[in-house]
């Protein structure tokens, strides 16, 4: 047998193992609200090839490819436990087991590592919380995709309605089509039908009422059976407490804004300051996509090295706020054609750092350039540190942060030498550290941080909504502090 034959046989064997994992992952997901992860990446509803690719990704983190032959025994052990709602990381189980020298079997070790999700520690499955989307643009439709994808999966959120202005004939069909197909993010994973008689879009069995209203104060959500809901305003039309309070109507309990909040509205970056939210706070901002991209790695650097000052330059994809061709715009330069120009503009991300990291005393400045790509941006974070270090030390620190710290869902790490912006479309992390581009000299560190300013940000919004709804389930094994 040739080497090529050996490689092909090995691939087919791993395909067979990955195929056997799919029903186990699905059953844990549907019946017990357990989301199976691999180094913080969900394996739920993934294909055989996707599962194998996710395992191969581990070599970028741990230095060696993780095989399905290594993780299958842990998955089989999980199926034999009486688990409650939780997220369980097979990659971390395998890594911590390898480092354990007590001679435990895989079954014994797994039972111990996830004990917090079993027995007396097991939390009850909660009733789903109603969610309303106010606006159905780029972020709104991605939030809809995420909420539909997670429906019944243990995240406890149920998309009940979308509120939009009536744009005239065929409005419902056109909006459903925009949800079904996306030029950047591809086809919707599932089926979508339209019930025009009841003004409803049915996506993967989820009935989503489309409510037409020009003013938030005119909607009584209880008339549609919506109670105690979280409303996500993705229009950006109102950003202060007074404006957003208009949403607090019958049926709406909390309002989450997908733009930087003004005044005393808390700006929340999940993973960094979400634990500071007061339980009785009814109006919350998820800050901006750029703030979510820079704050987690900034915190990681500040915690380890201290930060005296910094500057962030964002090279940002163009947005619908800009013009296709030159035309009037209220902002300077943004009236010039977005697909034909690089456009210097402002960013509020630097000033928003103070809200998310109030203990960071360093002055952070910022500016932005809009460039002719439709999605994925990069933030160049130039920091003066409180002590000298080396490039190797910084990269090792950020690699470990992406793997084992509480920020592992926010920060990703890539070593690919030929990575470009389109490689990060669909990334669920808020920020991806480009190891190859990182520069460190003495007390100066320059980080290049990729981020999908649409999808990655939408994932952060959903995490905040999960947290404020009380359905953010614990992750096992517990790592980092």
């Amino acid at each position: 047998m040739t080497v090529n034959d050996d490689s092909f046989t090995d691939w087919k064997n791993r395909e067979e193992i990955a195929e056997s994992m799919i029903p186990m992952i699905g059953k844990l997901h549907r019946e017990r609200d357990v989301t199976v992860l691999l180094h913080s990446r969900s394996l739920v509803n993934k294909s055989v090839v996707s599962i194998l690719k996710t395992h191969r990704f581990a070599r970028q983190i741990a230095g060696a490819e993780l095989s399905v032959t290594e993780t299958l025994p842990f998955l089989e052990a999980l199926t034999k436990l009486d688990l409650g709602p939780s997220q369980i990381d097979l990659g971390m189980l395998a890594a911590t087991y390898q480092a354990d020298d007590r001679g435990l079997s895989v079954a014994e070790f797994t039972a111990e590592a996830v004990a917090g999700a079993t027995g007396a520690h097991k939390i009850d499955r909660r009733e789903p919380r109603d969610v309303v989307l106010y606006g159905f643009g780029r972020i709104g439709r991605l939030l809809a995709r995420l909420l539909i994808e997670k429906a019944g999966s243990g995240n406890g959120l149920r998309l009940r309605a979308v509120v939009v202005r009536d744009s005239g004939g065929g409005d419902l069909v056109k909006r459903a089509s925009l949800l079904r197909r996306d030029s950047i993010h591809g086809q919707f994973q599932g089926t979508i039908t339209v019930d025009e008689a009841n003004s409803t879009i049915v996506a993967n069995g989820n009935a989503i009422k489309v409510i037409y209203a020009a003013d938030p104060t005119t909607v009584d959500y209880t008339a549609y059976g919506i109670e105690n809901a979280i409303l996500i305003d993705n229009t950006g039309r109102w950003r202060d407490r007074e404006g957003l309070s208009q949403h607090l109507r019958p049926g709406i309990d909390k309002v989450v804004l997908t733009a930087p909040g003004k005044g005393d509205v808390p700006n929340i970056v999940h993973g960094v300051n979400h634990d500071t939210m007061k339980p009785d706070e009814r109006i919350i901002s998820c800050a901006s996509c750029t703030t979510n991209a820079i704050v987690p790695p900034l915190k990681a650097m500040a915690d380890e090295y201290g930060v005296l000052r910094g500057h962030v330059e964002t090279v940002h994809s163009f947005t619908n706020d800009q013009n296709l061709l030159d035309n009037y715009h209220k902002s300077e330069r943004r009236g010039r054609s977005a697909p034909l120009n690089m456009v210097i503009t402002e960013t509020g991300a630097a000033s928003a750092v103070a809200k998310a990291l109030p203990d960071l005393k360093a002055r952070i400045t910022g500016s932005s350039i809009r460039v002719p790509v439709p999605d994925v941006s990069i933030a160049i974070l130039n920091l003066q540190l409180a002590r000298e270090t080396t490039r190797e030390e910084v990269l090792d620190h950020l690699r470990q942060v992406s793997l084992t710290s509480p920020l592992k869902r926010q920060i990703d790490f890539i070593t690919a030498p030929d990575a470009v912006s389109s490689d990060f479309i669909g990334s669920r992390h808020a920020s991806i550290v480009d190891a190859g581009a990182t520069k460190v000299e003495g007390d100066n560190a320059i980080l290049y941080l990729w981020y999908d300013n649409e999808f990655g940000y939408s994932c952060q919004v959903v995490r905040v909504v999960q947290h404020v709804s009380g359905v953010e389930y614990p992750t096992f094994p517990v790592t980092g502090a």
Side-chain angles (χ1 to χ4, degrees), residues 53-127:
K53 285 181 68 176
T54 305
H55 278 73
R56 185 169 174 78
F57 171 81
R59 67 182 179 153
Q60 293 193 44
I61 301 175
E65 184 173 343
L66 185 63
S67 172
V68 287
T69 60
E70 297 175 72
T71 57
L72 177 62
F74 294 97
L75 181 59
E76 290 174 330
L78 291 174
T79 63
K80 296 178 174 64
L81 297 173
D82 182 24
L83 293 166
S86 56
Q87 299 185 99
I88 300 178
D89 196 314
L90 293 181
M92 292 309 303
L93 276 175
T96 51
Y97 179 68
Q98 189 176 27
D100 190 86
D101 59 2
R102 293 175 294 163
L104 299 177
S105 68
V106 167
E108 291 169 335
F109 181 84
T110 302
E112 179 183 275
V114 303
T118 62
H121 302 290
K122 184 170 66 174
I123 60 178
D124 294 328
R125 186 170 184 167
R126 301 181 178 99
E127 287 299 313

Side-chain angles (χ1 to χ4, degrees), residues 150-163:
K150 296 174 180 294
S153 68
N155 81 336
L157 302 175
R158 180 176 58 175
L159 178 57
R160 294 293 308 280
V162 172
V163 183

Side-chain angles (χ1 to χ4, degrees), residues 401-419:
V401 167
S402 74
L403 178 61
T404 63
S405 83
L407 290 171
K408 63 184 179 181
R409 295 172 73 191
Q410 282 70 43
I411 299 177
D412 203 359
F413 187 91
I414 189 165
T415 58
D418 56 351

Side-chain angles (χ1 to χ4, degrees), residues 16 18 21 41 53 59 62 88 129 133 151 157 163 170 224 226 237 242 266 303 330 390 395 398 406 466 476:
E16 186 176 357
M21 297 171 78
R41 287 163 166 77
K53 285 181 68 176
R59 67 182 179 153
I88 300 178
R129 185 78 172 266
L133 295 177
L157 302 175
V163 183
Y224 304 99
I226 297 169
R237 186 177 173 187
E242 181 181 1
D303 288 349
K330 63 181 180 180
T390 65
L395 289 178
L398 292 174
Q466 285 178 294
F476 299 95

